[in-house]
Amino acid sequence: MSSSRDMIAARPAPDQRHGVIGWLRINLFSGPINSVVTLVVLVLLVRLLWPVIDWALIEADWVGSTRQACTGDGACWVFISVRLNQIVYGFYPEAMRWRVDIVFALFALLVAWLAIPRLPFKRFVGLFALIGFPIVAWILLLGGMFGLTPVPTRQWGGLMLTLTIAAVGIVGSLPIGVLLALGRRSKMPLVRGVCVVFIEFWRGVPLITVLFMASVMLPLFAPAGAEFDKLLRALIGIMLFWSAYMAEVVRSGLQAIPRGQGEAGAALGLSYWQRMGLIILPQALKLVIPGIVNTFIALFKDTSLVLIIGLFDLLAVIQSGLNDADWLGFAIEGYVFAALIYWVFCFSMSRYSQYIERRLHTGH
């Protein structure tokens, strides 16, 4: 039995490595050498970044409607603000841009609903995002039904066209890629051979060739009088092209799953599709999340290639604005703005994939 005169056992000192000061001490100033290196790097960063900040923010011109408003030594963001509607909507008629706004708002709502874990009914929302939303978006954007004025796809452009191509390519290439990956590992020679030929063919040609064939050569083989929309041809070509790359990404995940997983499912009496849907594919897709998102990011950036077939995406609209005689000499501002938009979307996809990885991490 202890008494009040017994010595208290020694305890470790309180951990003071919390907060901003603690993080700086641990990561940047943990010793004399690290402190010197940190200070040198900070000085170099300030010297390199300060001219950029001064040009882009401090000395920049923000307000105006003509190039005469750009009197400072910095960037002229007036060029972007004047042409912002065209950058976002392309050549879509101004009186009907509310239809594009509805599609943007619905798209943002679906993405937010699927991204926030606490919101319910994700299965139904996901099904609507995959099946219902493309139909609603196509009706609203194209028109010609329910009293909506038709807007041909040649008038689409800008950010809306970039997002349309990227969304259709991403939504279409993933399920096709999964089926191709399963077909390539099939034990049926005919199925395996068809999948191998398909994958190797599309991986063996550049995307520019695919777009050129879809735009110029494919109509030559179509029946007389048949017409296919140029954007629709480009969407099909992009979807098939990236599904081949997606198939190889998914196949790498399937190969990483031990054979015993499938054998255990078969011992339980599960069919092939039950084993794939309940046991193997969920694990394989979880393993290759970085590869899948990397393919999505590459697809999003490659949407700018549609310019070669006459479709004006975000980058093409900005480039066309730079050829305007009233705005000559502002190419840097245009390309910086385009790079910023591409970076925001690509970085968002990258960060969300990391969040999904952490959320699905099970420790093995």
Side-chain angles (χ1 to χ4, degrees), residues 299-342:
L299 187 156
F300 184 83
K301 291 188 292 187
D302 277 355
T303 55
S304 60
L305 294 177
V306 297
L307 174 63
I308 64 169
I309 58 172
L311 297 176
F312 282 74
D313 71 314
L314 167 69
L315 186 60
V317 167
I318 291 178
Q319 285 178 325
S320 66
L322 298 175
N323 297 325
D324 189 345
D326 294 334
W327 293 101
L328 292 177
F330 296 103
I332 296 178
E333 286 85 345
Y335 288 124
V336 168
F337 185 73
L340 179 63
I341 292 179
Y342 276 101

Side-chain angles (χ1 to χ4, degrees), residues 108-143:
L109 178 63
L110 290 174
V111 170
W113 196 293
L114 294 174
I116 299 175
R118 290 176 295 178
L119 295 179
F121 309 116
K122 290 196 179 299
R123 180 174 299 179
F124 299 103
V125 176
L127 285 175
F128 177 76
L130 291 175
I131 301 173
F133 174 70
I135 298 174
V136 173
W138 188 258
I139 292 174
L140 281 173
L141 296 178
L142 192 61

Side-chain angles (χ1 to χ4, degrees), residues 203-222:
R203 292 178 68 204
V205 295
L207 181 56
I208 292 178
T209 306
V210 175
L211 293 174
F212 180 77
M213 290 288 293
S215 175
V216 179
M217 300 300 294
L218 185 60
L220 300 179
F221 299 98

Side-chain angles (χ1 to χ4, degrees), residues 38-119:
T38 298
L39 292 175
V40 170
V41 172
L42 287 177
V43 171
L44 290 176
L45 285 177
V46 171
R47 291 181 64 86
L48 291 174
L49 293 180
W50 179 253
V52 177
I53 295 174
D54 184 59
W55 174 82
L57 301 176
I58 299 175
E59 297 292 336
D61 295 300
W62 299 85
V63 180
S65 57
T66 63
R67 65 175 300 151
Q68 281 70 33
C70 303
T71 57
D73 296 329
C76 177
W77 299 119
V78 179
F79 165 71
I80 299 297
S81 62
V82 169
R83 306 188 70 88
L84 187 60
N85 284 334
Q86 194 174 35
I87 291 173
V88 174
Y89 300 103
F91 310 101
Y92 210 86
E94 186 173 356
M96 287 172 276
R97 287 175 181 173
W98 60 270
R99 288 151 54 174
V100 182
D101 295 335
I102 291 178
V103 173
F104 280 164
L106 190 57
F107 178 73
L109 178 63
L110 290 174
V111 170
W113 196 293
L114 294 174
I116 299 175
R118 290 176 295 178
L119 295 179

Side-chain angles (χ1 to χ4, degrees), residues 178-199 272-273:
V178 171
L179 293 177
L180 288 172
L182 294 176
R184 185 158 190 169
R185 289 170 54 86
S186 173
K187 294 179 181 179
M188 294 184 285
L190 181 59
V191 174
R192 185 171 64 249
V194 170
C195 292
V196 169
V197 170
F198 181 92
I199 292 171
Y272 172 81
W273 291 109

